[in-house]
């Protein structure tokens, strides 16, 4: 079973295309329907994007 996506996975992201490959939901098959699985994936992507933004802001300062 694949590991769930965490904020520590941002070290593997170099450009926007990497976001699609890094985000994994190990419970995708157990979700009630595809809409809920897509929603969860979107939340993972948003969390990683926010963490990347914060990291970038800290590097600038």
């Amino acid at each position: 079973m694949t590991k769930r996506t965490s904020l520590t996975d941002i070290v593997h992201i170099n450009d926007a295309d990497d976001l699609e490959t890094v985000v994994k939901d190990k419970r995708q098959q157990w979700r009630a329907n595809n809409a809920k699985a897509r929603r969860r994936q979107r939340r993972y992507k948003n969390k990683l994007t926010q963490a990347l933004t914060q990291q970038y802001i800290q590097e600038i300062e």
Side-chain angles (χ1 to χ4, degrees):
M1 184 175 289
T2 59
K3 189 182 102 174
R4 227 195 278 191
T5 304
S6 69
L7 292 180
T8 58
D9 292 333
I10 62 173
V11 297
H12 304 292
I13 299 174
N14 293 326
D15 58 5
D17 293 332
D18 292 341
L19 190 63
E20 295 293 327
T21 58
V22 169
V23 174
K24 295 179 190 80
D25 181 11
K26 75 175 190 176
R27 297 182 176 149
Q28 185 173 8
Q29 289 79 20
W30 296 317
R31 304 273 179 219
N33 54 36
N34 286 337
K36 289 189 178 187
R38 280 192 310 272
R39 186 180 315 143
R40 188 66 197 154
Q41 292 297 84
R42 192 167 53 242
R43 287 182 184 153
Y44 283 137
K45 290 175 187 174
N46 285 338
K47 283 183 182 181
L48 285 175
T49 304
Q50 289 174 357
L52 281 169
T53 305
Q54 289 301 318
Q55 182 182 22
Y56 179 71
I57 290 171
Q58 289 175 356
E59 287 177 4
I60 290 176
E61 295 175 346

